[in-house]
Amino acid sequence: MVSVIFPAAGQGKRMNAGINKVFLELADRPMLIRTLQKFSAVPEVGELIVVVGAEEVEPVTNLLKKFSGLKPWLVTEGGSERQYSVWNGLKQVSAEADVVLVHDAARPLVTVKTIEAVIGAAREYGGAIAAVPEKNTVKVVSENGVVKSTPARSTLWAVQTPQGFRKQILVEANIKAEADGFLGTDDASLVERLGRPVHVVMSEYSNIKVTTPEDLLIAEAFLRQEQGSMLDAVRSAAKFAKDTMRGKIPHRQKEEK
């Protein structure tokens, strides 16, 4: 079984919304709900663990109760840093889970294809991350603002979530980080410290993290595009059905004869 941890305890200061950004609506639905519904559509996922600030445990719990169709979920209190929140969530993972995913609650556009690919790679290799090739030239810059080097772009990937690991590996990585007082930039960095391989899974550039008001506009545009494609498919299927009923298109049985 796969358990998914959603760190959502950040203050979202760059959004300037006055509330946790995961409560913001994206195409008439709270961002958090959109994210949880995407993972609930994955058969292997068995539980959802949402980690929020202490004052948000009750309102998030009440929000989730309003929506049906979600996989079994629980809401728990986070820590002062994202890493501590994930560790708190990891302590709530069911004993039946063998793989744990960590996904930013503010990445509602992740696809089922990417989620399933990360799960598969985590099972096979022990650790996997969703990422896309970097499109920009990246410079290594000194503290006084001088360019030191330019890494080959072919070696650079922009890392996203979900990040997935065999449960015991992620537990071991967090225990070591806590003992060493190490604070990583993501979950994979903790696993890397163990000397464990972390494999990259190709994701989509649309799997953005909604952090600023501009990101909300971009996410809305992606959603409109996605919904438009679905609407086109529905219209096409409806037209085919109508044409078949009117005798314009032979039934498959007739073709076989």
Side-chain angles (χ1 to χ4, degrees):
M1 186 190 78
V2 177
S3 178
V4 190
I5 299 171
F6 301 90
Q11 296 300 310
K13 295 179 180 178
R14 283 177 286 180
M15 187 62 75
N16 293 318
I19 59 172
N20 189 326
K21 60 189 174 186
V22 299
F23 288 109
L24 297 177
E25 290 199 345
L26 192 58
D28 302 320
R29 198 179 308 164
M31 193 186 323
L32 175 61
I33 298 301
R34 284 197 173 277
T35 303
L36 298 183
Q37 288 175 331
K38 192 62 67 71
F39 281 83
S40 294
V42 178
E44 286 192 81
V45 170
E47 66 177 356
L48 313 173
I49 300 174
V50 183
V51 190
V52 297
E55 70 285 357
E56 293 174 338
V57 171
E58 184 176 353
V60 170
T61 297
N62 292 334
L63 174 66
L64 268 56
K65 287 179 179 178
K66 296 177 181 178
F67 291 86
S68 60
L70 298 178
K71 289 292 179 72
W73 54 266
L74 66 86
V75 181
T76 190
E77 184 178 338
S80 58
E81 299 286 346
R82 181 185 185 279
Q83 180 175 312
Y84 307 150
S85 292
V86 172
W87 186 213
N88 285 354
L90 191 54
K91 294 173 183 177
Q92 303 295 324
V93 168
S94 298
E96 293 78 14
D98 61 325
V99 168
V100 176
L101 302 186
V102 181
H103 184 72
D104 299 321
R107 286 188 192 269
L109 301 178
V110 64
T111 64
V112 169
K113 178 182 177 181
T114 292
I115 297 168
E116 292 179 334
V118 171
I119 291 172
R123 287 195 193 283
E124 183 174 358
Y125 304 112
I129 56 176
V132 290
E134 179 56 61
K135 295 187 288 186
N136 299 305
T137 296
V138 176
K139 303 285 186 180
V140 178
V141 181
S142 67
E143 292 182 1
N144 58 352
V146 177
V147 173
K148 298 173 65 176
S149 64
T150 305
R153 192 164 57 192
S154 60
T155 67
L156 300 176
W157 288 68
V159 177
Q160 305 171 345
T161 63
Q163 299 189 359
F165 311 91
R166 292 185 198 137
K167 181 172 67 174
Q168 192 50 47
I169 291 176
L170 188 57
V171 169
E172 182 183 349
N174 275 271
I175 289 174
K176 180 171 176 55
E178 185 176 58
D180 296 344
F182 175 79
L183 191 62
T185 55
D186 66 354
D187 304 285
S189 65
L190 307 190
V191 173
E192 291 161 22
R193 296 181 72 239
L194 298 178
R196 300 273 192 167
V198 177
H199 283 249
V200 170
V201 170
M202 176 68 79
S203 182
E204 301 86 12
Y205 288 97
S206 58
N207 184 19
I208 64 170
K209 185 176 182 180
V210 180
T211 304
T212 66
E214 292 79 9
D215 294 333
L216 272 176
L217 294 175
I218 295 170
E220 289 272 5
F222 277 127
L223 275 174
R224 282 197 299 271
Q225 181 185 49
E226 178 182 305
Q227 292 169 349
S229 298
M230 291 175 62
L231 184 58
D232 289 342
V234 171
R235 286 172 175 167
S236 177
K239 182 179 184 301
F240 182 86
K242 289 178 181 177
D243 288 344
T244 301
M245 293 291 290
R246 294 169 181 168
K248 293 182 179 180
I249 299 175
H251 288 287
R252 183 166 297 178
Q253 289 181 341
K254 295 180 180 180
E255 292 178 344
E256 291 172 351
K257 292 180 181 178

